[in-house]
Amino acid sequence: MISSKNIAICDDEKRIREGIKEILKEWNMATVIQEFSSGNQLLEAVSKGYLPDIVLLDVAMDGLSGMETAARLKEQTDVILIFISGVKEQVFRAFDVGAFHYLLKPLKKEKLLTVMERAAAEVEKQSALSKHMVVKVDGSYRKLEIRDILYAESDGRKVILHMKKETLKFYGKMDELEKELGEGFYRCHRGFLVALSEIKAYDSTSITVSNGERIYLAKRKYSDFVQTYCSFLQE
């Protein structure tokens, strides 16, 4: 049994929402489920502080479409999106806006539960990275979310943190930073420390992170890196 999750069901058909809710309650009684009949209703709730872990989102809704809703949602919160649709044609657009999965109607209970188990595991993995660190930047102390770090780069006596929305430079040592960030990061090169969760591709000499940037992978580290990364993906 997974721990409790906040799940949003956004579909303009009440029958669909109630069917999904019934299945999810049977799956995990501790799950907190909110229903929304439109994308605007969901976005308004999020703007007021509602933060779901997982959103099941209909693609074709009256008013704001599921794709438009997803794009705006991703601007406000890093949520796991599972699209629901009666057609296959939108699947590639769904992944363009960061979909975790794409389910076809009519929903099959077994398939829905399999996807939900995977989504819940991903929430747990992200939660493990939801820690903070404090660094001194230009004379001021900044509290940073570790999950927002893509990679760290050594620059003489300073460290450059490449994050999802900004780049910061502060005095520090890579060895100390490596210990502070812990198991979710890998020292792929003397001068680079990468977030395993942000890796999108790699070869024998480099690693590509989620924003498309490439960083060095030391040849002597390659075998150990592959083993570490594969173990991370299986967790």
Side-chain angles (χ1 to χ4, degrees), residues 70-212:
R72 297 187 191 182
L73 197 59
K74 281 291 189 178
E75 293 175 357
Q76 301 180 62
T77 180
D78 189 16
V79 68
I80 291 179
L81 288 171
I82 299 173
F83 280 100
I84 304 167
S85 177
V87 295
K88 296 179 180 179
E89 284 74 15
Q90 298 280 2
V91 64
F92 293 111
R93 284 193 62 201
F95 289 110
D96 283 343
V97 293
F100 180 80
H101 205 90
Y102 191 96
L103 292 170
L104 286 173
K105 298 179 180 178
L107 292 176
K108 295 182 179 179
K109 179 179 178 180
E110 295 77 12
K111 181 63 175 178
L112 173 60
L113 293 183
T114 297
V115 172
M116 290 304 299
E117 288 286 353
R118 288 181 49 226
E122 183 63 23
V123 171
E124 297 289 351
K125 185 185 291 187
Q126 291 182 5
S127 295
L129 294 174
S130 288
K131 297 184 293 183
H132 299 87
M133 64 180 294
V134 177
V135 298
K136 189 175 183 180
V137 181
D138 296 330
S140 299
Y141 288 94
R142 293 278 305 275
K143 182 181 179 181
L144 309 175
E145 285 201 25
I146 290 177
R147 66 179 177 181
D148 287 341
I149 300 173
L150 302 176
Y151 67 95
E153 177 183 1
S154 177
D155 183 29
R157 295 172 57 203
K158 291 189 175 183
V159 170
I160 303 173
L161 275 187
H162 297 262
M163 307 184 71
K164 293 179 180 178
K165 295 182 179 180
E166 61 181 329
T167 300
L168 302 174
K169 184 182 287 191
F170 59 94
Y171 286 101
K173 298 179 180 179
M174 289 289 281
D175 290 344
E176 294 176 358
L177 182 62
E178 183 179 9
K179 291 178 182 178
E180 182 174 4
L181 294 179
E183 295 181 356
F185 289 76
Y186 185 82
R187 190 77 170 270
C188 56
H189 182 277
R190 181 167 53 87
F192 290 93
L193 183 63
V194 65
L196 293 170
S197 61
E198 296 298 328
I199 294 174
K200 296 303 177 186
Y202 67 87
D203 56 34
S204 61
T205 60
S206 67
I207 294 170
T208 303
V209 293
S210 57
N211 68 349

